[in-house]
């Protein structure tokens, strides 16, 4: 298993380009099965989650291929095995977003029920409620969700809100299924995330009739069939936000290219509040910091609120801010596995129920730490850039799920991130003297 050895502190300077969005690419790949024929998607990052999704589509019967120019092509002429195996779903929960398109295309789907994960329990009840409102018969059988609609789906007015607000993949699932349903579907309390809008735009290019894109009320007029298309996914706003945090924590200056600031308003607002400069520039922005980091409070919310996927990375900034801050995660109230790890790096964080109280410290110190999930591991890398000494980040496979070759992209900017195998890792002298 790979680890990162990260030497700090460093300052980052230069230019970095944001990749296409992982969380747009996954449902768009799933949606490609709605049209027989070959769809080509540009900008799909080369990540382990994308490879798992490609494996899932291949099992269904599709031919999936990375073209020489980097585009991903999905030939969905044949979809004859509508099953999502446990072995695949347990590696990537987002596999659930194949459920809606599969029922719509094949009239039947059998998908392993996703379990919880490091960021919480993560139920799929709203996905299932939405699809059954469209007329699918749903049952749970030996750990698998079986959804059947042999005579097709019917449009309906559906309220899709839940205890934590809207659901991103739940909205995607119901919207994808509704494109081929008979009649009109209205989704109230739809997720407004840019990735949901990207999926809706993709579906409309395929011939779907979706209006209200980007709003909490989506109206979908069912059509008889969709056709394959060529499409480019939007830039990854979470990767962009992570690079912004890296520039800010290292008192550096980064030009972040291929970054849509209009999708990052809440994030940019918080950065400016805590003393970070963000200036629009070209197809992105320049992020820099010269003064101290200031304390603030953050509450994560569905879009356009502050994203839960940047909560951990911002915690590292506030750990070094002058004064006390509070972070509350209202989307995933248990998404705080990074708190104990950041404390091992000399942060002063205290979890109190659904909140984390942060007393700013003057500096962080390198330490061996454990990555628990994708964004928590990104936060550990960001923290390690500013920490004094050596940080060893274990279980780097988590970060490879969402950031393509992050060390190769940050090292030219001044980072010192070394990918090593855990069995041959270089243990810094101070750690060797005090083994865990
Ligand atoms: N929820 C329910 N019932 C459901 C579905 C969701 O109660 O049927 C709850 C969840 O437990 C959570 C809240 O609703 O408390 C929102 O979850 P949502 O369904 O929106 O999450 P998701 O669609 O499973 C996507 C992203 C996540 C991101 C969330 C929130 C993808 C592949 N995943 O997950 O991204 O955190 O939306 O924005 O798009 C990541 O990239 O690291 C990541 C975890």
């Amino acid at each position: 298993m790979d680890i990162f050895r990260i030497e700090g502190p460093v300052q980052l300077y230069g230019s970095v380009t944001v990749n296409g969005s992982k969380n747009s690419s996954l449902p768009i790949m799933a949606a490609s099965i709605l049209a027989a024929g070959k769809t080509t998607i540009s900008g799909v990052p080369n990540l382990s989650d994308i490879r798992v999704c490609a494996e899932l589509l291949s099992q269904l019967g599709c031919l999936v291929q990375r073209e020489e120019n980097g585009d991903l092509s999905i030939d969905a002429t044949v979809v004859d095995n509508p099953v999502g195996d446990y072995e695949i779903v347990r590696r990537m929960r987002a596999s659930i977003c194949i459920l809606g398109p599969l029922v719509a295309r094949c009239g039947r789907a059998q998908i392993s029920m996703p379990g919880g994960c490091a960021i919480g329990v993560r139920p799929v009840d709203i996905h299932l409620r939405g699809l059954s409102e469209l007329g699918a018969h749903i049952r749970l059988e030996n750990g698998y969700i079986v959804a059947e609609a042999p005579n097709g789906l019917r449009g309906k007015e559906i309220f899709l809100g839940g205890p934590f607000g809207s659901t991103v993949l739940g909205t995607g699932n119901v919207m994808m299924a509704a494109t081929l349903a008979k009649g009109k579907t209205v989704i109230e309390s739809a997720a407004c995330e840019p990735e949901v809008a990207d999926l809706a735009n993709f579906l409309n290019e395929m011939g779907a009739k979706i209006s209200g894109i980007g709003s909490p009320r989506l109206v979908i007029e069912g059509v008889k069939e969709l056709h394959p298309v060529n499409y480019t996914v939007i830039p990854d706003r979470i990767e962009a936000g992570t690079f912004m945090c890296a520039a800010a924590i290292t008192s550096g200056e980064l030009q972040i290219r291929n970054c849509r600031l209009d999708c990052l308003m809440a994030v940019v607002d918080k950065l400016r509040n805590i003393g970070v400069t963000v200036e629009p520039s070209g197809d992105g922005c320049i992020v820099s910091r010269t003064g101290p980091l200031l304390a603030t409070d953050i509450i994560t919310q569905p879009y356009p609120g502050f994203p839960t996927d940047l909560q951990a990375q911002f915690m590292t900034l506030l750990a070094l801010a002058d004064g006390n801050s509070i972070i509350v995660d209202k989307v995933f109230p248990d998404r705080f596995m990074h708190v104990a790890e950041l404390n091992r790096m000399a942060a002063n964080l205290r979890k109190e129920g659904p909140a984390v109280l942060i007393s700013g410290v003057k500096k962080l110190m390198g330490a061996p730490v454990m990555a628990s999930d994708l964004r928590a591991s990104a936060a550990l890398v960001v923290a390690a850039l500013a920490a004094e000494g050596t940080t060893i980040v274990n279980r780097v496979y988590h970060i490879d799920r969402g950031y393509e070759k992050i060390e190769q992209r940050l090292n030219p900017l001044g980072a010192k991130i070394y990918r090593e195998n855990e069995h041959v890792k270089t243990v810094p002298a101070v750690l060797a003297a005090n083994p865990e």
Side-chain angles (χ1 to χ4, degrees), residues 22-24 26-27 49 92-97 117 119-129 162-171 191 193 195 237-238 301-303 307-309 330-333 335 373-375 401-402:
K22 164 182 86 81
N23 289 349
S24 272
L26 292 170
D49 270 11
M92 191 188 64
R93 308 186 76 262
S95 309
I96 188 70
C97 68
C117 71
I119 68 178
V121 182
R122 304 189 72 181
V124 291
D125 55 316
I126 305 172
H127 301 234
L128 304 187
R129 197 178 76 212
F164 301 98
S166 51
T167 157
V168 173
L169 291 178
T171 302
E193 270 69 5
E195 295 76 16
R237 66 193 165 103
I238 305 302
Q301 280 167 336
Y303 190 84
T308 172
D309 289 343
K330 289 224 168 164
V331 179
F332 291 115
R335 193 179 201 174
D373 71 80
L374 169 55
R375 307 305 171 186
R401 287 187 40 223

Side-chain angles (χ1 to χ4, degrees), residues 81-163:
N81 179 36
V83 179
D85 273 339
Y86 173 72
E87 275 314 308
I88 290 193
V89 179
R90 78 177 174 84
R91 277 153 59 205
M92 191 188 64
R93 308 186 76 262
S95 309
I96 188 70
C97 68
I98 201 71
L99 186 62
L102 260 189
V103 196
R105 166 89 190 248
C106 303
R108 184 175 201 281
Q110 184 179 330
I111 308 289
S112 177
M113 175 86 162
C117 71
I119 68 178
V121 182
R122 304 189 72 181
V124 291
D125 55 316
I126 305 172
H127 301 234
L128 304 187
R129 197 178 76 212
L131 292 173
S132 58
E133 295 252 25
L134 290 179
H137 297 284
I138 297 184
R139 61 181 194 278
L140 188 65
E141 212 173 85
N142 305 114
Y144 279 76
I145 300 161
V146 181
E148 286 171 327
N151 301 319
L153 300 164
R154 297 179 311 271
K156 181 103 188 276
E157 290 204 4
I158 304 171
F159 176 76
L160 218 54

Side-chain angles (χ1 to χ4, degrees), residues 319 342-343 346-350 356-361 364:
L342 290 172
N343 279 344
N348 186 353
L349 316 175
R350 190 155 54 92
V356 174
L357 313 182
I358 304 164
S359 304
V361 294
L364 295 174

Side-chain angles (χ1 to χ4, degrees), residues 38 81-82 107 133 162 170 177 228 266 269 319 322 363 373 386 435:
K38 182 169 155 184
N81 179 36
E133 295 252 25
D269 183 58
D322 280 349
K363 63 177 184 185
D373 71 80

